[in-house]
Amino acid sequence: MMFITVNQNTLTLTPGSEIILQYQTWDDYENLLEIRQEKPLPKIYFHAKTNTIRLMSPLPSHGNRVDILRDLVKSLLGKQGKDWHCFDPITLKHFKQAGVEPDTCFYIDHRDAILGKEKLDLSVDPPPDLAIEVDFTSLTDIEAYQTLKIPELWIYRQSILKIYRLVGENYQESSTSGIFANVNVKEILPKYVELAWNQGSSVALRQFEQEYLNKIN
């Protein structure tokens, strides 16, 4: 059973639930963010094109897959000798157009531009180089991410990793990652994401390092 509570001081949603509010404005969206304050849940998304606000409260299985994907990306970046800055949770907004809250995101090429900042303003700050969403409770609004011009978006759903790369103004689904051009992340990462859920994150990370990372020159 789903329960949602919205009042001047409280915004809560039953775990595993999603609510879509129609005919909403940017001010409605900002008001909900203010009510929620600094709490990470429920996640709140806004898209001016559809005039909708989406509220989502994930289940533990969602969080586990997010956590292992984040760790796998960090391992790959470390192996490549790349520095990064990771955010989770974070609210990314394009004024009056869209607001998203990726499950996790990475600044890599643009890391130096945002170091030390408590809040990001995408009207002056660059967007993350990579955003990751796990579609377990709901479906990601890809067009909202396009509005924010995030170069690469990963969506993980039902053991499948889809990669979307920004080409011009639109995303195109890709078989390869621009960040990990020499790694078949679509094939490799889902194996260890599901292994983490069934046998534990430490086991999955250890096997990933032994079976894959240690074999990369």
Side-chain angles (χ1 to χ4, degrees):
M1 184 176 296
M2 179 180 63
F3 293 99
I4 182 170
T5 301
V6 182
N7 57 47
Q8 188 175 358
N9 301 307
T10 305
L11 176 61
T12 61
L13 181 64
T14 305
S17 301
E18 177 189 35
I19 291 283
I20 297 178
L21 306 175
Q22 305 284 350
Y23 313 112
Q24 301 296 296
T25 67
W26 180 261
D27 288 341
D28 295 326
Y29 166 65
E30 291 280 16
N31 184 52
L32 287 176
L33 289 176
E34 184 175 349
I35 293 172
R36 189 189 64 180
Q37 300 177 358
E38 298 301 319
K39 298 175 183 177
L41 298 175
K43 297 165 72 69
I44 307 174
Y45 297 77
F46 173 78
H47 194 184
K49 186 174 180 180
T50 56
N51 296 119
T52 57
I53 292 175
R54 180 163 61 93
L55 295 91
M56 188 269 286
S57 186
L59 291 166
S61 51
H62 171 278
N64 178 264
R65 287 168 172 85
V66 172
D67 185 64
I68 188 64
L69 271 170
R70 184 189 304 111
D71 286 344
L72 291 169
V73 169
K74 288 179 180 179
S75 293
L76 285 171
L77 289 170
K79 184 67 176 181
Q80 293 183 350
K82 293 181 178 180
D83 289 322
W84 71 88
H85 203 53
C86 179
F87 285 97
D88 172 32
I90 190 171
T91 301
L92 302 171
K93 298 185 286 187
H94 188 294
F95 185 63
K96 291 191 175 182
Q97 295 300 313
V100 303
E101 297 189 331
D103 288 318
T104 192
C105 67
F106 287 83
Y107 279 86
I108 306 165
D109 294 336
H110 297 96
R111 182 185 70 96
D112 291 345
I114 51 80
L115 289 178
K117 294 194 173 184
E118 292 291 339
K119 292 186 178 181
L120 300 181
D121 179 358
L122 295 192
S123 66
V124 294
D125 297 317
D129 297 288
L130 171 65
I132 300 175
E133 289 273 22
V134 172
D135 282 2
F136 202 86
T137 304
S138 60
L139 299 178
T140 296
D141 184 347
I142 295 175
E143 288 190 5
Y145 274 93
Q146 284 179 173
T147 302
L148 273 64
K149 297 183 175 8
I150 296 174
E152 188 161 318
L153 170 66
W154 292 3
I155 299 178
Y156 187 80
R157 181 176 177 82
Q158 295 180 342
S159 303
I160 296 173
L161 178 66
K162 291 190 175 182
I163 299 171
Y164 296 90
R165 297 171 65 178
L166 195 65
V167 180
E169 297 293 320
N170 301 303
Y171 278 124
Q172 291 185 6
E173 189 172 350
S174 174
S175 60
T176 60
S177 166
I179 298 168
F180 304 109
N182 297 321
V183 179
N184 188 354
V185 294
K186 281 178 63 69
E187 177 181 339
I188 294 168
L189 297 193
K191 170 185 174 181
Y192 296 99
V193 172
E194 296 308 313
L195 181 65
W197 176 245
N198 290 300
Q199 296 188 30
S201 297
S202 61
V203 172
L205 282 172
R206 185 164 56 249
Q207 288 196 23
F208 177 66
E209 292 172 358
Q210 294 172 350
E211 297 171 356
Y212 185 76
L213 277 191
N214 291 341
K215 297 179 181 179
I216 299 177
N217 294 325

